[in-house]
Amino acid sequence: MSPSLAEISTGASKKHEELGFGTRAIHVGSAPNKETGAVIPSISLSTTYKQDAIGVHQGFEYSRSGNPNRDAFEETLASLEAGGAHGLAFASGSATTATVLQSLGPGSHIVSVNDVYGGTFRYMTKVANLNQGLETTFVDLENADDETFIAAIRPNTKLIWIESPTNPTMRLIDIARISSIAHAHPSKPLVLVDNTFLSPFYSSPLLLGADIVLHSLTKYVNGHSDVVMGALILPAHHTTLAADLRFLQNAIGAVPSPYDCWLAQRGAKTLHLRMKAHGTNALAVAKALERSPHVEDVIYPGLASHPRNDVAYASLSPHARKFVDAQGVDGGFAYGGMISFRIKGGEAQAEKFLTSTKLFTLAESLGGVESLAEHPARMTHGGIPEADRALLGISANLVRLSVGVEDIDDLLHDIEQALEVAAATL
């Protein structure tokens, strides 16, 4: 029997995973205040806390080490990521990345998916490499066979870094396969999955064998483009690792403010509703792009025509699969809100499209309720060398869309009219 909400409120039960995703999002970490009865957590701005005697306190000493809002939000995060038990919030996704890589120590080696987020690539190659001698081998984890992947692992390999889908070319990684191979290797590297693009709603990497899940909470989890934050979620069997990372969280001090935690926790309460709308809209936009004579290629793994559509379906979380199966839509299924496509022409047509949309705002970032569009080669991935971008398929005519939750007819009209304007310049 699932625990009652009263049990959650009193902390009498820890079986949060037995509750539905949306129920956990709304209730876990948000118990009514015992003193006032307030249903929504208040914002605790205090930086320090009274001690009744030296070392005797109510769980808080100094807000860098712990804060009621951050603790509550971390509890929410751990419950949302299926299989999670430990949540750690950071001041940004980049700070989260830096903390994980610093935890590996000097002279370590990692294997990373080759099509990694530009900011992650920058930290791996231009910061960690110089400051701690960290070496990174970039591998096409989507297409690499077992032998190629195993050959990339060294005796000092501490971590496998996965994004799936990747940013921005939407490569899909078989997380279960990579995790199985990594854990069987004598080096025993940990497997980290950046789950930002799909959010805890569409994907549950911990259930597929990952050791750590990373999120840029700035994106879908917060969902309103008004918070910069990151997080790590770990399963119950990694208590020691979680404690080590929490030590670094405090020692480095890249922690989010109470107000940001409060905002992000509020955003997370509607994550399940927003992700369903993002996915439904994105599938419709992807189908429209696929029909357009002005589009060369559409990359959305939820499309039935996508070559790895079966891998996308297999990667769905249990709750997302339930939603997708109930939809029964022809031609594909909802798979998050991110789409990349190549417009016919080149950079000039891509820029004309991006400056001609009315509802899709030309801006970096993703995952907010509003629709955004950007040019990866010149914006989010401009720091990657041009030759490497070419190998990855980040071409001058590649456009990335973050499809929001506006009315779909309006979004389709906006896409179609902007494509017509861009096509007229050919």
Side-chain angles (χ1 to χ4, degrees), residues 8-140:
I8 294 176
S9 299
T10 60
S13 173
K14 294 185 178 179
K15 297 182 178 180
H16 295 161
E17 69 276 3
E18 295 181 12
L19 294 163
F21 185 92
T23 304
R24 299 198 305 274
I26 292 168
H27 290 283
V28 175
S30 292
N33 186 283
K34 293 180 179 179
E35 295 181 359
T36 66
V39 173
I40 299 300
S42 58
I43 303 173
S44 177
L45 297 176
S46 182
T47 59
T48 190
Y49 301 86
K50 177 182 180 295
Q51 301 188 21
D52 296 322
I54 296 175
V56 179
H57 50 77
Q58 298 181 48
F60 301 100
E61 301 171 86
Y62 186 62
S63 59
R64 171 170 43 78
S65 305
N67 168 276
N69 293 109
R70 193 171 89 224
D71 284 14
F73 183 43
E74 289 178 338
E75 184 181 358
T76 302
L77 290 172
S79 77
L80 287 183
E81 194 64 66
H86 309 283
L88 295 86
F90 295 83
S92 68
S94 295
T96 312
T97 296
T99 301
V100 171
L101 296 183
Q102 287 181 57
S103 76
L104 303 180
S108 298
H109 173 257
I110 64 175
V111 176
S112 171
V113 63
N114 58 341
D115 184 22
V116 73
Y117 165 59
T120 303
F121 177 87
R122 179 176 60 238
Y123 193 89
M124 289 175 176
T125 60
K126 297 184 178 180
V127 181
N129 177 256
L130 297 178
N131 291 349
Q132 63 188 83
L134 180 80
E135 291 186 293
T136 305
T137 299
F138 294 97
V139 177
D140 180 357

Side-chain angles (χ1 to χ4, degrees), residues 210-245:
D211 299 288
I212 308 172
V213 169
L214 179 146
H215 285 282
S216 172
L217 302 175
T218 309
K219 315 315 195 280
Y220 284 112
V221 173
N222 177 62
H224 293 81
S225 302
D226 52 11
V227 166
V228 173
M229 197 187 300
L232 298 173
I233 300 95
L234 293 82
H237 65 272
H238 275 315
T239 300
T240 300
L241 177 59
D244 291 343
L245 290 167

Side-chain angles (χ1 to χ4, degrees), residues 129-182:
N129 177 256
L130 297 178
N131 291 349
Q132 63 188 83
L134 180 80
E135 291 186 293
T136 305
T137 299
F138 294 97
V139 177
D140 180 357
L141 294 178
E142 180 183 56
N143 296 307
D145 57 24
D146 292 0
E147 291 73 20
T148 301
F149 174 52
I150 292 170
I153 302 176
R154 305 176 186 175
N156 64 333
T157 301
K158 301 289 185 66
L159 184 69
I160 311 298
W161 191 286
I162 297 173
E163 287 181 21
S164 187
T166 61
N167 179 10
T169 60
M170 307 293 285
R171 286 173 166 83
L172 285 185
I173 316 303
D174 187 338
I175 296 169
R177 180 178 74 91
I178 295 297
S179 298
S180 177
I181 296 171

Side-chain angles (χ1 to χ4, degrees), residues 361-385:
T361 301
L362 175 56
E364 295 192 4
S365 199
L366 59 104
V369 291
E370 68 288 327
S371 293
L372 302 177
E374 66 109 7
H375 189 260
R378 288 175 56 191
M379 295 172 69
T380 54
H381 291 70
I384 296 177

